[in-house]
Amino acid sequence: MAEDRGRALKDRLEKAQNEYNTINVIVKRLIKSEENSIHSKESLKRKLLEVAHLEPNESVSMWLGSLSKGIEKIVSAQRESLQRIKNQVGSAVKRYPDRVKQQRRSLSESRRADMDFEKRSKTYEKLQERSKETDPSEIEKAANELKEAKGAADYATSTLEKDFTGYSQSHYSDFRLVLLHLINAQMHTDASSIDALTSVIKEISKS
């Protein structure tokens, strides 16, 4: 029974660890992708300014300058979103290794307590079987040790279940926050991009 429970909890822990590893990879790739995107936009902005300075037509030069400024606003918003992802999403994912260690310690302590209880239970049963040739004080001592071992095992099990309940709640909360932060960061970039490019379109249209 104890082994089955331990296996079930270990499976839950392994599953959650795989999920965190997956989202950690996704976040790292997203950060790298955003950094590359920012670099590309900055290169485009510089190239537009170079062409604007060389363009003989004043209107076209102004359009290119406006677009360059629009891209600069987009890059600024993208940097803010990227920093938010690094600070808020990254920190949530980084908390997980410590939680895993805590859960593994609880699981290990519970296993040791269960094994000790089983060992003392067998010892007590053997003494009971040989009760006629066994000193009553030895049986009493084994009974007390068995009682203590059962109390320790029950306490370890209760602690483990509380830890895993708290862990499950934290796991749910972390994933919820990670997704919300990712979505909000993307919305901030997209909204700023629309605003910046709309201003560029108006600038070009009125010329």
Side-chain angles (χ1 to χ4, degrees), residues 2 5 9 110 113-114 151-163:
R5 185 182 68 250
L9 292 174
S110 179
D114 285 338
D154 289 344
Y155 177 78
T157 298
S158 175
T159 301
L160 179 64
E161 290 174 350
K162 286 178 182 178
D163 284 349

Side-chain angles (χ1 to χ4, degrees), residues 135-189:
D135 189 332
S137 63
E138 191 175 346
I139 296 176
E140 184 180 359
K141 179 184 177 184
N144 290 334
E145 289 176 346
L146 177 61
K147 184 178 180 181
E148 290 178 5
K150 185 178 186 306
D154 289 344
Y155 177 78
T157 298
S158 175
T159 301
L160 179 64
E161 290 174 350
K162 286 178 182 178
D163 284 349
F164 265 82
T165 297
Y167 167 78
S168 296
Q169 292 173 347
S170 297
H171 178 67
Y172 166 80
S173 177
D174 281 351
F175 264 84
R176 180 174 176 273
L177 287 175
V178 164
L179 291 175
L180 287 175
H181 285 317
L182 287 174
I183 293 169
N184 285 332
Q186 189 61 53
M187 287 176 64
H188 175 65
T189 299

Side-chain angles (χ1 to χ4, degrees), residues 60-120:
V60 174
S61 178
M62 184 189 67
W63 297 339
L64 293 173
S66 296
L67 181 55
S68 177
K69 289 180 181 178
I71 291 174
E72 184 176 357
K73 290 180 181 178
I74 294 172
V75 168
S76 177
Q78 201 167 2
R79 285 190 182 281
E80 291 175 2
S81 296
L82 180 58
Q83 195 59 47
R84 183 181 302 176
I85 291 172
K86 287 181 177 179
N87 292 342
Q88 298 173 331
V89 177
S91 62
V93 175
K94 287 178 181 177
R95 284 196 297 267
Y96 178 70
D98 290 334
R99 289 204 183 122
V100 171
K101 290 179 183 177
Q102 181 183 347
Q103 298 308 311
R104 292 196 186 282
R105 280 197 297 269
S106 296
L107 186 56
S108 180
E109 289 170 4
S110 179
R111 283 176 177 170
R112 282 197 297 269
D114 285 338
M115 288 173 64
D116 185 56
F117 172 69
E118 290 174 5
K119 177 183 175 182
R120 295 188 183 281

